[in-house]
Coordinates of all heavy atoms in Angstrom, one line a residue:
V1 N 19.0 -1.1 -3.0 CA 18.1 -0.2 -2.3 C 18.9 0.5 -1.3 O 19.6 -0.1 -0.5 CB 17.0 -1.1 -1.7 CG1 16.0 -0.2 -0.9 CG2 16.2 -1.9 -2.8
T2 N 18.6 1.8 -1.2 CA 19.4 2.7 -0.3 C 18.8 2.4 1.1 O 17.7 2.0 1.3 CB 19.3 4.2 -0.6 OG1 17.9 4.5 -0.7 CG2 19.8 4.4 -2.1
D3 N 19.6 2.8 2.1 CA 19.2 2.6 3.5 C 18.0 3.4 3.8 O 17.1 3.0 4.6 CB 20.3 3.0 4.4 CG 21.5 2.0 4.5 OD1 21.2 0.8 4.0 OD2 22.6 2.3 4.9
D4 N 17.8 4.6 3.3 CA 16.6 5.5 3.6 C 15.4 4.8 3.1 O 14.4 4.8 3.8 CB 16.8 6.9 3.2 CG 16.9 7.0 1.7 OD1 17.6 6.2 1.0 OD2 16.2 8.0 1.1
V5 N 15.4 4.2 1.9 CA 14.2 3.5 1.4 C 13.9 2.3 2.2 O 12.8 2.0 2.6 CB 14.4 3.1 -0.1 CG1 13.4 2.2 -0.6 CG2 14.6 4.4 -1.0
K6 N 15.0 1.5 2.7 CA 14.8 0.3 3.5 C 14.1 0.8 4.8 O 13.2 0.1 5.3 CB 16.1 -0.3 3.8 CG 16.7 -1.1 2.7 CD 18.0 -1.7 3.0 CE 18.7 -2.3 1.9 NZ 20.0 -2.9 2.3
E7 N 14.5 1.9 5.4 CA 14.0 2.4 6.7 C 12.5 2.9 6.5 O 11.7 2.6 7.3 CB 14.8 3.6 7.2 CG 16.2 3.1 7.7 CD 17.2 4.3 7.9 OE1 16.7 5.5 7.9 OE2 18.3 4.0 8.1
D8 N 12.3 3.5 5.4 CA 10.9 3.9 5.1 C 9.9 2.7 5.0 O 8.8 2.7 5.6 CB 10.8 4.7 3.7 CG 11.4 6.1 3.8 OD1 11.7 6.6 4.9 OD2 11.6 6.6 2.8
I9 N 10.4 1.7 4.3 CA 9.5 0.5 4.1 C 9.4 -0.2 5.4 O 8.2 -0.6 5.7 CB 10.1 -0.4 3.0 CG1 10.0 0.3 1.6 CG2 9.4 -1.8 2.9 CD1 10.7 -0.4 0.5
A10 N 10.4 -0.3 6.2 CA 10.2 -0.9 7.5 C 9.2 -0.2 8.4 O 8.4 -0.8 9.0 CB 11.6 -1.0 8.2
R11 N 9.3 1.1 8.3 CA 8.3 1.9 9.0 C 6.9 1.7 8.6 O 6.0 1.6 9.4 CB 8.7 3.4 9.0 CG 7.9 4.3 9.8 CD 8.3 5.8 9.9 NE 8.6 6.4 8.5 CZ 9.9 6.5 8.0 NH1 11.0 6.2 8.7 NH2 10.0 7.0 6.8
I12 N 6.7 1.7 7.3 CA 5.3 1.3 6.7 C 4.9 0.0 7.2 O 3.7 -0.2 7.6 CB 5.4 1.4 5.2 CG1 5.6 2.8 4.7 CG2 4.1 0.8 4.6 CD1 5.9 3.0 3.3
L13 N 5.8 -1.0 7.1 CA 5.4 -2.4 7.5 C 5.2 -2.5 9.0 O 4.4 -3.4 9.4 CB 6.5 -3.4 7.0 CG 6.5 -3.5 5.5 CD1 7.7 -4.5 5.1 CD2 5.2 -4.0 4.9
R14 N 5.8 -1.7 9.8 CA 5.5 -1.8 11.3 C 4.1 -1.4 11.6 O 3.5 -1.9 12.5 CB 6.5 -0.9 12.1 CG 7.8 -1.5 12.3 CD 8.6 -0.7 13.4 NE 9.0 0.6 12.9 CZ 10.0 0.9 12.2 NH1 10.9 -0.1 11.8 NH2 10.3 2.1 11.9
V15 N 3.5 -0.5 10.8 CA 2.1 -0.2 11.0 C 1.2 -1.4 10.8 O 0.2 -1.5 11.5 CB 1.7 0.9 10.0 CG1 0.2 1.3 10.0 CG2 2.5 2.2 10.3
I16 N 1.6 -2.2 9.9 CA 0.7 -3.4 9.5 C 0.9 -4.5 10.7 O -0.1 -5.2 11.0 CB 1.1 -4.0 8.2 CG1 0.9 -3.0 7.1 CG2 0.5 -5.3 7.9 CD1 1.6 -3.2 5.8
G17 N 2.0 -4.5 11.3 CA 2.2 -5.5 12.3 C 2.5 -6.8 11.8 O 3.1 -7.0 10.7
D18 N 1.9 -7.9 12.4 CA 2.1 -9.3 12.0 C 1.1 -9.8 11.0 O 1.0 -11.0 10.9 CB 2.2 -10.2 13.3 CG 3.3 -9.8 14.2 OD1 4.3 -9.4 13.7 OD2 3.2 -10.0 15.4
D19 N 0.4 -8.9 10.4 CA -0.6 -9.4 9.5 C -0.2 -9.8 8.1 O -0.9 -10.2 7.3 CB -1.7 -8.3 9.3 CG -2.5 -8.1 10.6 OD1 -2.6 -9.0 11.4 OD2 -3.1 -7.0 10.7
S20 N 1.1 -9.7 7.8 CA 1.6 -10.1 6.5 C 3.0 -10.7 6.6 O 3.8 -10.2 7.4 CB 1.7 -8.9 5.6 OG 2.2 -9.3 4.3
D21 N 3.2 -11.7 5.9 CA 4.6 -12.4 5.9 C 5.4 -11.9 4.7 O 6.6 -12.0 4.9 CB 4.4 -14.0 5.8 CG 3.7 -14.5 7.0 OD1 4.0 -14.1 8.1 OD2 2.8 -15.3 6.8
A22 N 4.8 -11.5 3.7 CA 5.6 -11.1 2.5 C 4.7 -10.2 1.6 O 3.5 -10.2 1.8 CB 6.1 -12.3 1.7
G23 N 5.3 -9.5 0.7 CA 4.5 -8.7 -0.2 C 5.4 -7.8 -1.0 O 6.6 -8.0 -1.1
S24 N 4.9 -6.7 -1.6 CA 5.7 -5.8 -2.3 C 5.1 -4.3 -2.1 O 4.0 -4.2 -1.7 CB 5.6 -6.1 -3.8 OG 4.4 -5.9 -4.3
I25 N 6.0 -3.4 -2.4 CA 5.6 -2.0 -2.3 C 6.3 -1.2 -3.5 O 7.4 -1.5 -3.8 CB 5.9 -1.3 -0.9 CG1 5.4 0.1 -0.9 CG2 7.4 -1.3 -0.7 CD1 5.4 0.7 0.5
E26 N 5.5 -0.4 -4.1 CA 6.1 0.3 -5.3 C 6.5 1.7 -4.9 O 5.9 2.3 -4.0 CB 5.1 0.4 -6.4 CG 4.8 -1.1 -6.9 CD 4.1 -1.1 -8.2 OE1 4.4 -0.3 -9.1 OE2 3.3 -2.0 -8.4
L27 N 7.5 2.2 -5.5 CA 8.1 3.5 -5.2 C 8.4 4.3 -6.6 O 8.9 3.7 -7.5 CB 9.5 3.3 -4.5 CG 10.4 4.5 -4.4 CD1 9.9 5.6 -3.6 CD2 11.8 4.0 -3.8
L28 N 8.0 5.5 -6.5 CA 8.4 6.4 -7.6 C 9.0 7.7 -7.0 O 8.8 8.0 -5.8 CB 7.1 6.9 -8.4 CG 6.5 5.8 -9.3 CD1 5.2 6.4 -9.9 CD2 7.4 5.4 -10.4
Y29 N 9.8 8.3 -7.8 CA 10.3 9.6 -7.4 C 9.6 10.6 -8.2 O 9.6 10.5 -9.5 CB 11.9 9.7 -7.6 CG 12.6 8.9 -6.6 CD1 13.0 7.6 -6.9 CD2 13.0 9.4 -5.4 CE1 13.7 6.8 -6.1 CE2 13.8 8.6 -4.5 CZ 14.1 7.3 -4.9 OH 14.8 6.6 -4.0
D30 N 9.1 11.7 -7.6 CA 8.5 12.8 -8.5 C 9.5 13.7 -9.1 O 10.7 13.5 -8.9 CB 7.4 13.5 -7.6 CG 8.0 14.5 -6.6 OD1 9.2 14.6 -6.5 OD2 7.2 14.9 -5.7
E31 N 9.1 14.6 -9.8 CA 10.0 15.5 -10.5 C 10.9 16.3 -9.6 O 12.0 16.8 -10.1 CB 9.3 16.4 -11.4 CG 8.3 17.4 -10.8 CD 6.9 16.8 -10.5 OE1 6.6 15.7 -11.0 OE2 6.2 17.4 -9.8
T32 N 10.6 16.4 -8.3 CA 11.4 17.2 -7.4 C 12.3 16.2 -6.6 O 13.1 16.7 -5.7 CB 10.6 18.0 -6.3 OG1 9.9 17.0 -5.5 CG2 9.7 19.0 -7.1
G33 N 12.2 14.9 -6.9 CA 13.0 13.9 -6.1 C 12.4 13.4 -4.9 O 13.0 12.6 -4.2
C34 N 11.2 13.8 -4.6 CA 10.4 13.3 -3.4 C 10.0 11.8 -3.7 O 9.5 11.5 -4.8 CB 9.2 14.2 -3.2 SG 8.2 13.6 -1.7
K35 N 10.2 11.0 -2.7 CA 9.8 9.6 -2.8 C 8.2 9.5 -2.6 O 7.7 10.1 -1.7 CB 10.5 8.8 -1.8 CG 11.9 8.6 -1.9 CD 12.6 7.9 -0.9 CE 12.5 8.7 0.4 NZ 13.4 8.3 1.4
V36 N 7.6 8.7 -3.4 CA 6.2 8.4 -3.3 C 6.0 6.9 -3.3 O 6.2 6.3 -4.3 CB 5.4 9.0 -4.6 CG1 3.9 8.7 -4.4 CG2 5.6 10.5 -4.6
Y37 N 5.6 6.4 -2.1 CA 5.4 4.9 -2.0 C 3.9 4.7 -2.3 O 3.0 5.4 -1.9 CB 5.6 4.5 -0.6 CG 7.1 4.6 -0.3 CD1 7.6 5.8 0.4 CD2 8.1 3.6 -0.7 CE1 9.0 5.9 0.7 CE2 9.4 3.8 -0.3 CZ 9.8 4.9 0.3 OH 11.2 5.0 0.6
F38 N 3.6 3.6 -3.0 CA 2.2 3.3 -3.3 C 2.1 1.8 -3.6 O 3.1 1.1 -3.7 CB 1.7 4.2 -4.5 CG 2.4 3.9 -5.8 CD1 1.7 3.1 -6.7 CD2 3.6 4.3 -6.1 CE1 2.3 2.7 -8.0 CE2 4.2 4.1 -7.3 CZ 3.6 3.3 -8.2
D39 N 0.9 1.4 -3.8 CA 0.5 0.0 -4.2 C 1.2 -1.0 -3.3 O 2.0 -1.8 -3.7 CB 0.9 -0.2 -5.7 CG 0.3 -1.4 -6.3 OD1 -0.7 -1.9 -5.7 OD2 0.7 -1.9 -7.4
L40 N 0.9 -1.0 -2.1 CA 1.3 -2.0 -1.1 C 0.5 -3.3 -1.3 O -0.7 -3.3 -1.1 CB 1.1 -1.5 0.4 CG 1.5 -2.3 1.5 CD1 3.0 -2.6 1.4 CD2 1.2 -1.6 2.8
N41 N 1.2 -4.3 -1.7 CA 0.5 -5.6 -1.9 C 1.0 -6.7 -0.9 O 2.2 -7.0 -1.0 CB 0.9 -6.1 -3.4 CG 0.4 -5.2 -4.4 OD1 -0.9 -5.0 -4.5 ND2 1.2 -4.6 -5.2
L42 N 0.2 -7.0 0.0 CA 0.6 -8.0 1.0 C 0.0 -9.4 0.6 O -1.2 -9.4 0.2 CB 0.0 -7.6 2.4 CG 0.5 -6.2 2.8 CD1 -0.2 -5.8 4.0 CD2 2.0 -6.1 2.9
L43 N 0.7 -10.4 0.8 CA 0.2 -11.7 0.5 C -1.0 -12.0 1.3 O -1.9 -12.8 0.9 CB 1.3 -12.8 0.7 CG 2.5 -12.7 -0.2 CD1 3.5 -13.8 0.1 CD2 2.0 -12.7 -1.7
S44 N -1.2 -11.5 2.5 CA -2.3 -11.7 3.4 C -3.6 -11.1 2.8 O -4.7 -11.4 3.2 CB -2.1 -11.2 4.8 OG -1.9 -9.8 4.7
T45 N -3.5 -10.3 1.8 CA -4.7 -9.6 1.2 C -5.0 -10.2 -0.2 O -5.9 -9.7 -0.8 CB -4.5 -8.1 1.1 OG1 -3.4 -7.8 0.2 CG2 -4.3 -7.5 2.4
L46 N -4.3 -11.2 -0.6 CA -4.6 -11.8 -1.9 C -6.0 -12.5 -1.9 O -6.4 -13.0 -0.9 CB -3.5 -12.8 -2.3 CG -2.1 -12.2 -2.8 CD1 -1.2 -13.3 -3.0 CD2 -2.3 -11.3 -3.9
P47 N -6.6 -12.6 -3.0 CA -7.9 -13.2 -3.1 C -7.7 -14.8 -2.9 O -6.6 -15.3 -3.0 CB -8.4 -13.0 -4.5 CG -7.6 -11.9 -5.1 CD -6.3 -11.9 -4.3
L48 N -8.8 -15.4 -2.5 CA -8.8 -16.9 -2.3 C -8.6 -17.6 -3.7 O -8.8 -16.9 -4.7 CB -10.1 -17.3 -1.6 CG -10.2 -16.7 -0.2 CD1 -11.6 -17.1 0.4 CD2 -9.1 -17.0 0.7
V49 N -8.4 -18.8 -3.7 CA -8.2 -19.6 -4.9 C -9.4 -19.4 -5.9 O -9.2 -19.3 -7.1 CB -8.0 -21.0 -4.6 CG1 -7.9 -21.9 -5.9 CG2 -6.7 -21.3 -3.8
D50 N -10.6 -19.3 -5.3 CA -11.8 -19.2 -6.1 C -12.0 -17.7 -6.7 O -13.0 -17.5 -7.3 CB -13.1 -19.7 -5.4 CG -13.4 -18.9 -4.3 OD1 -12.8 -17.8 -4.0 OD2 -14.5 -19.3 -3.6
G51 N -11.1 -16.8 -6.3 CA -11.3 -15.4 -6.8 C -12.0 -14.5 -5.8 O -12.0 -13.3 -5.9
S52 N -12.6 -15.1 -4.7 CA -13.3 -14.2 -3.7 C -12.3 -13.7 -2.7 O -11.1 -14.2 -2.7 CB -14.3 -15.1 -3.0 OG -13.7 -16.0 -2.3
I53 N -12.7 -12.8 -1.9 CA -12.0 -12.2 -0.8 C -12.5 -12.8 0.5 O -13.7 -12.7 0.7 CB -12.0 -10.7 -0.7 CG1 -11.6 -10.1 -2.1 CG2 -11.2 -10.1 0.4 CD1 -10.1 -10.2 -2.4
G54 N -11.7 -13.4 1.3 CA -12.2 -14.0 2.5 C -12.8 -12.9 3.4 O -12.2 -11.8 3.6
N55 N -14.0 -13.1 4.0 CA -14.6 -12.2 4.9 C -14.8 -10.8 4.3 O -14.5 -9.8 4.9 CB -13.9 -12.1 6.2 CG -14.7 -11.4 7.3 OD1 -15.9 -11.3 7.2 ND2 -14.0 -10.8 8.3
D56 N -15.2 -10.8 3.0 CA -15.2 -9.5 2.3 C -16.2 -8.5 3.0 O -16.0 -7.3 3.0 CB -15.5 -9.6 0.8 CG -16.8 -10.3 0.6 OD1 -17.3 -10.9 1.4 OD2 -17.2 -10.2 -0.6
T57 N -17.3 -9.0 3.5 CA -18.2 -8.0 4.2 C -17.6 -7.5 5.4 O -18.0 -6.4 5.9 CB -19.5 -8.7 4.4 OG1 -19.3 -9.9 5.3 CG2 -20.2 -9.1 3.2
G58 N -16.7 -8.2 6.1 CA -16.1 -7.6 7.2 C -14.9 -6.7 6.9 O -14.4 -6.1 7.8
V59 N -14.4 -6.8 5.7 CA -13.3 -6.0 5.3 C -13.7 -4.7 4.7 O -13.3 -3.6 5.0 CB -12.4 -6.7 4.3 CG1 -11.2 -5.9 3.8 CG2 -11.9 -8.0 5.0
W60 N -14.6 -4.7 3.6 CA -15.0 -3.5 2.9 C -16.6 -3.5 2.8 O -17.2 -4.4 2.4 CB -14.5 -3.6 1.4 CG -13.0 -3.6 1.3 CD1 -12.2 -2.7 1.8 CD2 -12.3 -4.7 0.7 NE1 -10.8 -3.1 1.5 CE2 -10.9 -4.3 0.9 CE3 -12.5 -5.9 0.2 CZ2 -9.9 -5.1 0.4 CZ3 -11.5 -6.7 -0.3 CH2 -10.2 -6.3 -0.2
P61 N -17.1 -2.3 3.2 CA -18.5 -2.1 3.0 C -18.8 -2.1 1.5 O -18.0 -1.8 0.7 CB -18.8 -0.8 3.7 CG -17.5 -0.1 3.8 CD -16.4 -1.2 3.8
D62 N -20.1 -2.3 1.1 CA -20.5 -2.3 -0.3 C -20.1 -1.0 -1.0 O -19.8 -1.0 -2.2 CB -22.0 -2.6 -0.5 CG -22.4 -4.0 0.0 OD1 -21.5 -4.8 -0.1 OD2 -23.6 -4.2 0.3
E63 N -20.3 0.2 -0.4 CA -20.0 1.4 -1.0 C -18.5 1.8 -1.1 O -18.1 2.8 -1.6 CB -20.8 2.5 -0.4 CG -20.4 2.8 1.1 CD -21.0 1.9 2.1 OE1 -21.8 1.1 1.8 OE2 -20.6 2.1 3.3
Y64 N -17.6 1.0 -0.5 CA -16.2 1.2 -0.5 C -15.6 1.3 -1.9 O -15.9 0.3 -2.6 CB -15.5 0.3 0.4 CG -14.0 0.5 0.4 CD1 -13.5 1.7 1.0 CD2 -13.1 -0.5 0.0 CE1 -12.1 1.9 1.0 CE2 -11.8 -0.3 0.1 CZ -11.2 0.9 0.6 OH -9.9 1.1 0.6
N65 N -14.8 2.3 -2.2 CA -14.1 2.4 -3.5 C -12.7 2.5 -3.3 O -12.1 3.6 -3.0 CB -14.7 3.6 -4.3 CG -14.0 3.7 -5.7 OD1 -13.0 3.1 -5.9 ND2 -14.7 4.5 -6.5
P66 N -11.9 1.3 -3.3 CA -10.5 1.4 -3.0 C -9.7 2.2 -4.0 O -8.7 2.8 -3.6 CB -10.1 -0.1 -3.0 CG -11.2 -0.8 -3.9 CD -12.4 0.0 -3.7
W67 N -10.1 2.3 -5.2 CA -9.4 3.1 -6.3 C -9.5 4.5 -5.9 O -8.5 5.2 -6.1 CB -9.9 2.7 -7.7 CG -9.9 1.2 -7.9 CD1 -10.9 0.4 -8.2 CD2 -8.7 0.4 -8.0 NE1 -10.4 -0.9 -8.3 CE2 -9.1 -0.9 -8.2 CE3 -7.3 0.7 -7.9 CZ2 -8.2 -2.0 -8.3 CZ3 -6.4 -0.4 -7.9 CH2 -6.9 -1.7 -8.2
S68 N -10.7 5.0 -5.6 CA -10.8 6.4 -5.2 C -9.9 6.7 -4.0 O -9.2 7.8 -3.9 CB -12.3 6.7 -4.9 OG -12.4 8.0 -4.5
E69 N -10.0 5.9 -3.0 CA -9.2 6.1 -1.8 C -7.7 6.1 -2.1 O -6.9 7.0 -1.6 CB -9.4 5.1 -0.7 CG -8.7 5.3 0.6 CD -9.1 4.3 1.6 OE1 -10.3 4.1 1.9 OE2 -8.2 3.7 2.2
L70 N -7.3 5.2 -2.9 CA -5.8 5.1 -3.3 C -5.4 6.4 -4.1 O -4.4 7.0 -3.8 CB -5.6 3.9 -4.2 CG -4.2 3.8 -4.7 CD1 -3.1 3.7 -3.6 CD2 -4.1 2.5 -5.6
S71 N -6.3 6.8 -5.1 CA -5.9 8.0 -5.9 C -5.8 9.2 -5.0 O -4.9 10.1 -5.1 CB -6.8 8.2 -7.0 OG -8.1 8.4 -6.6
E72 N -6.8 9.4 -4.1 CA -6.8 10.5 -3.2 C -5.6 10.6 -2.3 O -5.0 11.6 -2.0 CB -8.1 10.6 -2.4 CG -9.3 10.9 -3.2 CD -10.6 10.8 -2.4 OE1 -10.6 10.6 -1.2 OE2 -11.6 10.8 -3.0
A73 N -5.2 9.4 -1.8 CA -4.0 9.3 -0.9 C -2.7 9.6 -1.7 O -1.9 10.4 -1.2 CB -3.9 7.9 -0.3
I74 N -2.6 9.1 -2.9 CA -1.4 9.4 -3.7 C -1.3 10.9 -4.0 O -0.3 11.6 -3.8 CB -1.4 8.6 -5.0 CG1 -1.2 7.1 -4.7 CG2 -0.3 9.1 -6.0 CD1 -1.4 6.2 -5.8
I75 N -2.5 11.5 -4.4 CA -2.5 12.9 -4.7 C -2.1 13.8 -3.5 O -1.3 14.7 -3.5 CB -3.9 13.4 -5.3 CG1 -4.0 12.8 -6.7 CG2 -4.0 14.9 -5.3 CD1 -5.4 12.9 -7.2
G76 N -2.6 13.3 -2.3 CA -2.3 14.0 -1.1 C -0.9 13.9 -0.6 O -0.4 14.8 0.0
K77 N -0.2 12.9 -1.1 CA 1.2 12.7 -0.7 C 2.2 13.3 -1.7 O 3.3 13.4 -1.4 CB 1.5 11.2 -0.6 CG 0.7 10.5 0.5 CD 1.1 11.0 1.9 CE 0.4 10.3 3.0 NZ 0.6 10.8 4.3
L78 N 1.7 13.7 -2.8 CA 2.6 14.2 -3.8 C 3.4 15.5 -3.4 O 4.4 15.8 -3.8 CB 1.9 14.4 -5.1 CG 1.6 13.1 -5.9 CD1 0.8 13.4 -7.2 CD2 2.8 12.3 -6.2
A79 N 2.7 16.3 -2.6 CA 3.4 17.5 -2.1 C 4.1 17.1 -0.8 O 3.5 17.2 0.3 CB 2.3 18.6 -1.8
C80 N 5.4 16.8 -0.9 CA 6.1 16.3 0.3 C 6.8 17.4 1.0 O 7.0 18.5 0.7 CB 7.1 15.2 -0.1 SG 8.1 15.5 -1.5

């Protein structure tokens, strides 16, 4: 992993603070060579053993659509 990617990921994780101990982030390069980071998976956000999400009503309102938000964010970042 190049130093610039390490620095980018460190900057992204600083926003999260101490809320995660480990996880993953995916990276693609678009056709112009621009980096697109997406799909940040933190162990602190994994479902509970029974498949539920802890305190889900405190995290996401019923009308929340994470897939729509993610796709809009990715599309918005594609023009770097």
